[in-house]
Amino acid sequence: MKNRMILLKFILILLPLMGCKEESNLDPDENEPKQPVPPSWISRADSSFNSLNLIYWNAEKGVYNTDNKKNLNTQHYWWQANALDAVVDAAVRAKSPSTINQMNEMISGIKNNISSLRNNDFFDDREWMALSILRAYELTENEEYLNDVKGLWEDIKLGWNDNHGGGIAWNENQLDYKNAPSNGPAAILAFRLHKITGSAADLDFGKQILAWQESKLVDPVTGIVWDGIGRQGGTEIDGDNSTEDFWRFTYNQGTYAGALAELYTITKDRQLLVKALKTFSATESLLSSSAGIIRPEGDGDGGLFKGIMMRYFGVLALSEGLSDGERRNVIDYLVDNGESAWDKAKNPAYPFLFNHDWRVSPPINGQGQVSSSVDLTVALSGVFLMETLAVLENEGLLKTL
C-alpha cells in the first residue's frame, strides 16, 4: 500500500437493508404477537455485510467503490484484496449462491478493472490478494484461482534478499526496506499453501520468514511487533522506540500472531502459541484503551489495520493448543471490541453504523446522515470484526447475545 500514514478524521456509515412485509396471504398465526429473535454475532455479521454491499458495491465494475460517495480509485489494489476477503467471509458463512457468485464476479472485476493480479510493485499488496484468492479456491476448488495464487507467490518470493539478513522487501524499487506488512502475511500464505499443496519448500520458507521477522521486528521484552527496518536507509527500526507508537501498527500484531497460529496447526509446537499470546497481551496493554478497546488508526490505509488484526486474533482464538483461560482472554477482547463497535453504532436511523473509532458514536446530522466521505477501509474493519465473532459463535465458542 502506498500511503500508510494514519489519519484520524473520517468515520463509517453502514445503512440497514429495509425489509418489505407482504400484506396478503398471511398465515392465521401471523397476526399473533411474535417473540423477538435473540441477536447474534452471525446476524450482526450478515447485517454488516449487507450494508457494505448496499453502500459500496459497484455492480457494473464488479468491485467495491473506495468511498461511500461512489468514487472508485483503481490504485487501491490492496483495499480490493481485503474487500474480497470480506466477500469470502460471507460466502463461507452463508453458503448462498448469490454471495459465491459475487465472489467470482469480484475476482474477475479486480482483474478487469483494477489491475492484472501481478502488476503491482508492492509485495505486501500481492500477499493480501493471494491470501484472499486462496480462500476463494478452498471454497470453490476452482483451479484457476489456485494458479493465480501460485503466480503471485512466485513473484512474492522474489522479494526475499540478503539486505538486513533476509526478509521480504516492501517494494520492488526499495529492496533494502523490509517490514512486517510484507513478512507476516507472507508467512501465513506459505503455511496455508503448504497445507493445500503439501509443499515442504513452502513450509520451510514460511519458517524462514517468521524467524527473520522475530529476530528483527519483534520486541523480545514485550512481544510488540515493530513496523520495519531500513525505510530511510541504514538500519533504523521504525517502532522500537517507546516514543514511536505511531509505527506500532495494529495489523502487524495480528499477522505475526496469525502466522504463529498457522504454523502451530502444522507443527503442534506449543511455544508458537506462547509467542502469539505474548504479542496479543502487548496489544491489549499497549495499543488499547483502559477498557480494552483497540485504538483508532484513522481512515485511508489505516482504516483497515485493526480489522485485519481482529481477523488474525480470531485465528489465534481457534487454536486447539490454547488453555481455556488463554482462549477466554482472546475471545473476551474480541467481544469487548465487538460490543463497543456495535453499541456505539446504534442510532434510530442506522442501527449498525460503525465509527472508525470503536469507542465513540459517529457524528450524524439532523437527517441521520454523515456528511463526510467514508473510506471503504473503515467499513471493512467493522465487517471483519463482526465476521470474526460470527466464526467464533458458529464454532460454539460464544453464547448468543
Side-chain angles (χ1 to χ4, degrees), residues 108-236:
S108 296
I110 290 170
K111 293 177 180 179
N112 294 331
N113 296 294
I114 302 299
S115 173
S116 73
L117 296 183
R118 299 172 70 175
N119 183 25
N120 190 291
D121 293 340
F122 292 83
F123 291 104
D124 61 330
D125 287 14
R126 283 178 281 190
E127 291 161 15
W128 298 117
M129 190 67 72
L131 285 167
S132 297
I133 296 178
L134 186 61
R135 294 183 64 217
Y137 165 74
E138 291 182 280
L139 182 61
T140 64
E141 298 185 347
N142 183 335
E143 289 295 325
E144 179 184 347
Y145 295 165
L146 183 58
N147 290 333
D148 286 337
V149 174
K150 287 179 177 178
L152 285 164
W153 183 227
E154 290 306 310
D155 292 344
I156 291 163
K157 288 188 288 187
L158 297 175
W160 180 277
N161 61 69
D162 291 335
N163 293 320
H164 308 297
I168 294 177
W170 185 48
N171 188 297
E172 287 184 353
N173 301 310
Q174 194 179 2
L175 294 177
D176 58 344
Y177 173 37
K178 312 293 182 62
N179 63 8
S182 287
N183 286 274
I188 293 171
L189 180 59
F191 299 141
R192 290 182 176 178
L193 276 169
H194 164 75
K195 286 187 279 189
I196 290 172
T197 68
S199 169
D202 287 344
L203 175 59
D204 289 343
F205 189 43
K207 290 179 178 178
Q208 189 177 10
I209 295 168
L210 198 54
W212 178 86
Q213 182 173 356
E214 181 179 347
S215 69
K216 296 292 184 180
L217 298 179
V218 179
D219 186 339
V221 176
T222 65
I224 205 77
V225 180
W226 301 320
D227 188 66
I229 181 171
R231 178 175 57 89
Q232 297 177 311
T235 59
E236 181 181 356

Side-chain angles (χ1 to χ4, degrees), residues 328-344:
R328 187 77 263 151
N329 286 340
V330 179
I331 289 176
D332 284 350
Y333 180 73
L334 293 168
V335 169
D336 287 346
N337 277 271
E339 290 283 13
S340 183
W342 187 267
D343 181 65
K344 297 302 181 184

